[in-house]
């Protein structure tokens, strides 16, 4: 099933192409979490794994955009 939505500003049709990876991850992750929840000693492991992945994601975003300045802070080019 293809999910599409309309951009309210331009009226253009936008297709959701990132759904396959998200759906696959959502379908597979309970399998791994189930194995970790089965042992009481590993019950907190999924939370640490998720937190670590979130921190890594945030650091990568920071690294990617730390040098990007908003248009208000850019120095105009002189002629």
């Amino acid at each position: 099933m293809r999910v599409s939505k309309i951009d309210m500003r331009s009226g253009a049709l936008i297709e959701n192409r990132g759904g396959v990876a998200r759906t696959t991850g959502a379908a597979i992750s309970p399998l791994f979490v189930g194995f970790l929840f089965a042992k009481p000693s590993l019950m907190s492991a999924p939370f640490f794994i998720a937190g670590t992945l979130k921190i890594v994601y945030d650091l990568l975003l920071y690294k990617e955009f730390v040098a990007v300045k908003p248009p208000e802070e850019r120095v105009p080019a002189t002629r």
Side-chain angles (χ1 to χ4, degrees):
M1 180 175 137
R2 291 182 109 158
V3 176
S4 301
K5 60 182 176 178
I6 296 177
D7 184 7
M8 298 310 258
R9 289 175 281 165
S10 65
L13 188 65
I14 302 171
E15 290 190 29
N16 185 4
R17 297 189 183 265
V20 174
R22 192 173 302 124
T23 304
T24 304
I28 293 174
S29 64
L31 176 70
F32 295 113
V33 172
F35 287 127
L36 293 172
F37 275 175
K39 289 190 170 193
S41 62
L42 296 176
M43 194 169 284
S44 61
F47 299 104
F48 286 108
I49 293 169
T52 302
L53 289 173
K54 175 67 174 154
I55 290 170
V56 169
Y57 173 76
D58 289 342
L59 290 174
L60 288 172
L61 276 178
Y62 176 76
K63 180 184 169 217
E64 187 70 28
F65 291 103
V66 70
V68 177
K69 290 190 178 190
E72 301 85 24
E73 294 182 9
R74 292 186 186 149
V75 178
T78 57
R79 294 184 182 183

